[in-house]
Amino acid sequence: EKARGAGMPKEEQLRLFGVSLDSPAEMHVLLSQLGRFLARTAQNLACIAVLEKLVEVHEEVAPRGSAMAGACQRLALQCWRIGFFEQGLPHAVKSLELQEHLCGRESIQFADASQLLALVHLGSNQLEEAESTMSNSLKIREQVVGRDHPSVAEALLHMSKVALRKGDAGAAKELQLRANRLMGARSRKATRQHKDEDQET
């Protein structure tokens, strides 16, 4: 950034650093890979800073594209992981808006973005928003991937956390039991499949 600010041309940036700030495609690759490395090594604040740069790159190139939606989602998720809910909220909202634009409201991508937004709301103790958004995500998942899909059980568990936070222990218990039954049914099905495969061999 200092070199570019001093007027260093793109060719010289490439020669010295192997990447140029004047090439959005190269910056996307660099920032995306660096963000993954920082996330894996728990360098959370640095990761957030890099992902914010990544969002800026996509904002200049294709602000309504799938890469922008993915960058916003990664940034919101990283903020949620370390409790930076207020900082992550606008990016979670942006990701949801873009997934609706790109894939529609009945897509699994929209459901994923809805769930992330609900978790950010939950972290901020915005319980009504969290419940409404997570409920919407659950309904979409049931319609798109089926009621016995693992992601449905995950959504039920999140709904249980919201209900418990709202003080409704009965609803929280019922949601937890629904998730447990679903996970138990899948576990039994997998066990039967393994037994059938063993018998065939």
Side-chain angles (χ1 to χ4, degrees):
E1 288 180 330
K2 289 180 180 179
R4 185 196 193 194
M8 181 180 289
K10 176 181 177 179
E11 293 73 17
E12 189 66 10
Q13 294 177 42
L14 288 171
R15 188 182 69 80
L16 287 178
F17 308 117
V19 67
S20 167
L21 290 180
D22 295 313
S23 174
E26 293 171 2
M27 288 304 299
H28 163 74
V29 173
L30 173 66
L31 294 170
S32 186
Q33 292 178 349
L34 181 57
R36 289 191 183 95
F37 168 77
L38 293 170
R40 285 198 302 267
T41 54
Q43 300 181 64
N44 297 309
L45 297 181
C47 180
I48 288 174
V50 166
L51 292 176
E52 287 175 338
K53 288 280 188 183
L54 183 61
V55 168
E56 290 177 7
V57 168
H58 291 304
E59 189 71 54
E60 294 180 5
V61 179
R64 302 284 285 171
S66 59
M68 179 64 167
C72 288
Q73 190 161 339
R74 286 176 63 185
L75 178 52
L77 180 61
Q78 188 66 27
C79 289
W80 171 75
R81 283 173 174 162
I82 64 171
F84 282 28
F85 306 121
E86 185 175 348
Q87 187 173 344
L89 180 58
H91 302 293
V93 171
K94 183 69 172 179
S95 175
L96 183 67
E97 292 173 350
L98 288 173
Q99 293 297 0
E100 180 179 6
H101 167 70
L102 293 164
C103 306
R105 295 182 63 87
E106 303 303 320
S107 66
I108 197 67
Q109 292 86 350
F110 185 81
D112 288 341
S114 296
Q115 178 167 297
L116 177 56
L117 177 57
L119 291 174
V120 174
H121 281 313
L122 179 60
S124 300
N125 209 38
Q126 298 170 336
L127 302 182
E128 296 299 329
E129 294 88 343
E131 182 177 46
S132 174
T133 312
M134 188 64 74
S135 178
N136 189 40
S137 175
L138 174 61
K139 291 176 183 176
I140 295 170
R141 292 183 190 284
E142 290 178 334
Q143 293 170 0
V144 176
V145 297
R147 297 176 64 88
D148 62 343
H149 193 270
S151 65
V152 172
E154 181 183 359
L156 288 168
L157 291 174
H158 290 314
M159 289 286 291
S160 174
K161 294 175 185 176
V162 175
L164 191 61
R165 187 80 67 86
K166 292 181 70 176
D168 193 343
K173 182 178 179 180
E174 178 58 32
L175 289 162
Q176 176 80 53
L177 288 173
R178 283 179 60 192
N180 290 346
R181 285 194 295 268
L182 177 53
M183 290 185 290
R186 290 189 61 83
S187 178
R188 289 190 294 273
K189 181 179 179 181
T191 301
R192 288 195 299 270
Q193 287 176 340
H194 287 310
K195 287 182 178 179
D196 292 341
E197 290 172 0
D198 291 340
Q199 290 174 355
E200 289 175 2
T201 56

